Amino acid sequence: MTEPEHRVVVEGSRIITPRLVLRPWTVDDAEAALRVYGAENVAQWLAPAMERVADTAAMRTVLEHWVTSAGALETPTGRWAIELRDGGSVVGGVVLLPLPPDRRDLEIGWQLAPDAWGQGLAAEAGHAVAHYAFESGVEELFAVVRPRNERGAATARRVGMEWVGETDKYYGLRLQVFRLRPGDLDVPALRPEQRPAV
């Protein structure tokens, strides 16, 4: 019997998918994390929430902060390293955190090292964290994407998120907003030829 395409297993602080293990960051992940958060073509979409990390020492400082502040986060929020099950390489990060300014909406976000792009890993990680959030009782999740970040918008759609408009509510920026509710998760998207005529 084959595993379902969207199989997600939660084991303690780890979330496991067919290709990935999402696990808490450690300071020892600094070099791998720098390939993500030190890459200009990743960091350009994160500011002002997070600036580009300049070097391994700075990355270690960021990771130390993430590790020490993890205990203050309420379930299901968190930050996870995205690790490949095959080989154990850390290729990115995924977060589920309250959005500023009022911290009532939960944001799901993903970042991958550029050499890991194009394999569907960000969507798989986002999908897994969405499952975890909904199983914890969350009723909706949001992703906010800069208008020119076509890759980020495409990933949100692959996770199953629906575009709901633009806002300048978050981070003081004009952002595209995508929303996901439990009933929309794992619903296959219709290809253009399958959509009903209007």
Side-chain angles (χ1 to χ4, degrees), residues 96-110:
L96 183 62
L97 295 170
L99 274 162
D102 60 21
R103 305 183 61 79
R104 281 184 275 200
D105 297 333
L106 278 183
E107 175 187 16
I108 188 168
W110 44 81

Side-chain angles (χ1 to χ4, degrees), residues 123-196:
E124 188 169 327
H127 175 269
V129 170
H131 263 283
Y132 173 64
F134 293 146
E135 288 172 11
S136 300
V138 171
E139 295 181 4
E140 63 183 356
L141 296 172
F142 295 92
V144 292
V145 178
R146 300 249 186 138
R148 291 182 299 120
N149 186 355
E150 294 174 11
R151 182 178 296 277
T155 300
R157 288 187 179 96
R158 282 193 299 278
V159 170
M161 304 187 94
E162 175 186 17
W163 182 82
V164 292
E166 290 187 358
T167 186
D168 56 8
K169 175 181 175 181
Y170 309 116
Y171 301 110
L173 300 171
R174 190 83 179 149
L175 298 167
Q176 302 288 316
V177 180
F178 293 83
R179 180 179 61 205
L180 184 66
R181 293 182 172 154
D184 299 325
L185 194 60
D186 298 338
V187 175
L190 293 177
R191 294 188 305 273
E193 67 272 14
Q194 294 175 308
R195 293 186 182 127

Side-chain angles (χ1 to χ4, degrees), residues 63-143:
L63 290 172
E64 285 170 1
H65 171 70
W66 289 354
V67 169
T68 57
S69 64
L73 297 174
E74 294 182 24
T75 301
T77 59
R79 297 176 184 276
W80 296 267
I82 301 172
E83 181 180 282
L84 297 178
R85 285 180 67 174
D86 183 14
S89 302
V90 172
V91 295
V94 61
V95 301
L96 183 62
L97 295 170
L99 274 162
D102 60 21
R103 305 183 61 79
R104 281 184 275 200
D105 297 333
L106 278 183
E107 175 187 16
I108 188 168
W110 44 81
Q111 300 82 38
L112 285 182
D115 61 359
W117 290 359
Q119 303 171 54
L121 299 174
E124 188 169 327
H127 175 269
V129 170
H131 263 283
Y132 173 64
F134 293 146
E135 288 172 11
S136 300
V138 171
E139 295 181 4
E140 63 183 356
L141 296 172
F142 295 92

